[in-house]
Amino acid sequence: MNEERVKELLRKSGLKVTSQRLMVMNILASHPDSHLTAEEIYDLAKENSPEIGLATIYRTLQVLLDLHLINKVTFDDGFTRYELNGEKGASGHRHHHAICTGCGKVYSLETDLLDSLEQEVLEKLGFVVTDHEVKLYGLCQECREKKDESEENGT
Amino acid sequence: MNEERVKELLRKSGLKVTSQRLMVMNILASHPDSHLTAEEIYDLAKENSPEIGLATIYRTLQVLLDLHLINKVTFDDGFTRYELNGEKGASGHRHHHAICTGCGKVYSLETDLLDSLEQEVLEKLGFVVTDHEVKLYGLCQECREKKDESEENGT
DNA sequence: GTAGCTGCAAAGTTTTTGCAGAAGC
DNA sequence: GCTTCTGCAAAAACTTTGCAGCTAC
């Protein structure tokens, strides 16, 4: 993560550079693909700054969302999660997730194969896509093997 | 919506057919593409059955989710929404959503163009996709026109 | 008749807000 | 020095749970 870019973006938006804001960015940067919840970020932040408050985490996350530095994602498990908004090249698109319905594990994918879908939406609806989020639900290899085994045993 | 199929599915699962469960299904069926929240379903249900409780709505939605009759969707606005799980042919996949970041309107798409992405996930991760959810963020035609106008005025 | 379901109210979670003191610029 | 931010606590919003009576089968 480029800390200077974050500081610059904050200043440019008339916001102040505070240790709390940088810390939340650093926590998210050092836990790629973890999809942390606000509570988890809070616990990690307390390791360095025990006096930090949960309200600050929520307010900071809102600021970072407004600056498009991070993304909000939900896997329909009742928790709101946050991840760094990677700035990979021209697309700027967030990455995709494959969620195993067996073990709940979340895989992150970098592929970006929605061009034809986005083209179709533009033609049919006049809707210009600037970002997208894809969630694939299914069974990971491990859970698939487990399932095959139990079926062999006639369960 | 096929009410008989719902009744049959409930019975087959050892659950009881109640007016509340059928009502929630009917409400979702008669509001396609509305992406109703639990509270909205509750308000609609009260029109027919003023004595119904919000807890019943939540419990009923959980039952219908377990039976895969409905889907949970979130548009990152803090609300959990529900929609009928259309049983369109072999795919069984839920449909996609295009969310306008200008006006917040949500368009539902029926296209299902993720075959190549799903194939790639299978090859690279051994992950078998059984369902997917796609959210496209961008600007709808209307908001795009508004934006163009204000830019012409030098705003 | 029995097991499961509902409505109500109370409790649990997650997230937001108000305010006084602290910190950035 | 003025404005914005933070930490704490209280409040709000959303969802779940306990229980007694009711309903499906």
Side-chain angles (χ1 to χ4, degrees), chain A residues 25-67:
Chain A
M25 278 303 284
N26 274 316
I27 287 171
L28 288 170
S30 54
H31 292 79
D33 303 335
S34 289
H35 313 106
L36 301 170
T37 64
E39 195 83 31
E40 286 165 349
I41 296 167
Y42 176 51
D43 289 339
L44 289 167
K46 273 194 295 190
E47 289 176 10
N48 288 315
S49 307
E51 74 291 350
I52 200 169
L54 183 53
T56 301
I57 301 292
Y58 277 106
R59 280 186 287 225
T60 301
L61 289 169
Q62 191 53 60
V63 167
L64 299 177
L65 281 171
D66 290 345
L67 297 176

Side-chain angles (χ1 to χ4, degrees), chain B residues 24 38 41 69 119 121 136 148:
Chain B
V24 170
I41 295 167
L69 284 167
Q119 186 61 35
V121 174
L136 303 175
D148 287 347

Side-chain angles (χ1 to χ4, degrees), chain A residues 16-17 38 54-55 58-59 79-80:
Chain A
K16 290 180 176 169
V17 176
L54 183 53
Y58 277 106
R59 280 186 287 225
F79 291 96
T80 304

